[in-house]
Every structure is written in C-alpha cells, then in structure tokens.
Amino acid sequence: MPKQKIKYVEETHQYFIGKREVPSVSKLVSFAVGDTYTSIPQDVLQRASEYGTAVHEAIQTYEEKGEITDFFEEELEKYKELKTKYLLEVQNMEQIITDGKNFGGRYDILDTQGILWDIKTTSKVYEDKWAWQLGFYYLGLGKEGKTAFVLYIPKRGKHKVVMVTPHTNEECRTLIDLYNDEINNADN
C-alpha cells in the first residue's frame, strides 16, 4: 500500500494525513521520555527555540545557497568545522516524513550515505530523546537506522558530533501503539 500524503501546518506545528491529525515526532518523543523542559521558564524556552530555529535556517541557507546569514557566522563556522571533520555530504535537508498513517515529522539532514543527522543547540545533551527522534525519522523514511549523528552546536560550550543509536522501527511502532492506546482511553 503506498504511503499517504502528509500535510504540515507550520503555524500550529500540526501534521495531517487526509483530514486526520496525526502526532508529530516531537509529541511521540515527549510521550516516550516526558517533557524535558518543565522546570524552564516559558520565556527562556521561547528564546532558546527562536535561537535554535535561526541556527537551523542559517545552516540550511548555507547548504542550499552558499550564503552566510548575518549574526550566525560563529555557528556556521562550527557547523562547517564539524561537517569537514566528519566528512558530512548533505543529500537533502528539512524533509517531511511519515510512516503513512501514524505520525509526521521533519528531519534536519540526510547524508549521501542515507544516514540521518540532526542539529541541536540545546544547553544539554539528551541522547535518549534524540535516539527516539531519529528512530522515528528512520521509520518515516522506511528504513532501519543503525546509526545517526547529532551536530551539537550549543550557544555556550563546546560543539561536537554525538553518535546516537536510534530506537528500532519495532520499538517506535510499539511506542505508537502505546500512545494510541492512551489517546483512545482518554477519549472514552
């Protein structure tokens, strides 16, 4: 059976398959590991989110157009250093994925070897959270991922590449079933 087309609504961060809303990868990850940021004030989260989005956009602009975005020269230099050191060859970026019926998401980078790379600007390393996220992205690509990488470029501190072992497709499907059971039980 061919995959269903997925629609993403940027303003509300919602995914739809047909007229049915499906959870985002972010929502499924939060279900798996809990909300990591509950103790952080909302205004701090908002600024961090805006910074992370701007860094992603700067890297995407660099990759697609070769242009350096104002105010993000330092982050781009860190990205280029890691890209060179780890021989990252970008195939595509920011692609929306789905398994066709259960969720939607958008990965950061797929390299020419078919390996996923994510860009993170968080103040801490959250390997389990990233392992779930990248596992769902592989499931959405229709492949089993053995390895993935995170380009960790925090606002403060050392930038580095973190190797992540993604959760398997089976683990991700089991989590989807648990999530759907909880949603269905909440509706009854």
Side-chain angles (χ1 to χ4, degrees):
M1 180 163 126
K3 277 189 183 181
Q4 297 289 316
K5 186 162 174 61
I6 189 155
K7 178 184 175 192
Y8 176 61
V9 180
E10 181 92 34
E11 298 78 32
T12 57
H13 191 70
Q14 290 176 289
Y15 293 89
F16 294 88
I17 296 177
K19 294 182 180 187
R20 184 174 61 90
E21 182 177 2
V22 294
S24 66
V25 167
S26 300
K27 192 173 280 188
L28 291 170
V29 170
S30 289
F31 179 77
V33 300
D35 187 355
T36 316
Y37 308 116
T38 53
S39 64
I40 301 171
Q42 194 58 43
D43 63 317
V44 173
L45 284 176
Q46 183 63 35
R47 282 194 310 272
S49 174
E50 289 168 1
Y51 172 76
T53 298
V55 170
H56 275 77
E57 289 172 355
I59 290 171
Q60 187 174 6
T61 298
Y62 170 76
E63 284 296 340
E64 291 176 354
K65 301 177 183 175
E67 297 174 5
I68 306 293
T69 305
D70 289 342
F71 308 112
F72 292 98
E73 296 91 350
E74 183 179 338
E75 290 84 349
L76 281 171
E77 285 305 313
K78 291 175 181 179
Y79 167 74
K80 290 192 299 187
E81 177 188 320
L82 294 173
K83 182 180 175 188
T84 300
K85 181 176 180 178
Y86 290 90
L87 306 174
L88 169 57
E89 293 181 38
V90 175
Q91 178 175 309
N92 57 46
M93 295 185 71
E94 300 295 333
Q95 299 295 306
I96 293 176
I97 52 89
T98 180
D99 69 339
K101 61 183 177 179
N102 293 300
F103 69 90
R106 182 170 59 189
Y107 64 77
D108 291 343
I109 297 171
L110 182 68
D111 74 13
T112 55
Q113 304 298 310
I115 297 172
L116 287 167
W117 295 68
D118 206 61
I119 302 163
K120 295 295 183 191
T121 60
T122 55
S123 61
K124 295 179 184 174
V125 171
Y126 297 102
E127 283 189 54
D128 190 40
K129 191 173 188 171
W130 302 344
W132 278 111
Q133 179 184 8
L134 290 157
F136 278 111
Y137 291 159
Y138 274 119
L139 179 59
L141 286 170
K143 61 189 282 189
E144 190 74 58
K146 302 290 186 210
T147 301
F149 297 96
V150 171
L151 296 157
Y152 181 63
I153 307 172
K155 198 171 205 174
R156 293 177 219 27
K158 180 76 176 127
H159 59 290
K160 60 185 176 181
V161 167
V162 179
M163 189 171 105
V164 176
T165 302
H167 282 274
T168 65
N169 287 352
E170 183 179 343
E171 290 168 328
C172 290
R173 285 189 198 99
T174 299
L175 186 80
I176 289 167
D177 290 343
L178 292 170
Y179 176 86
N180 287 334
D181 287 348
E182 184 161 305
I183 295 300
N184 292 335
N185 289 335
D187 291 342
N188 294 331

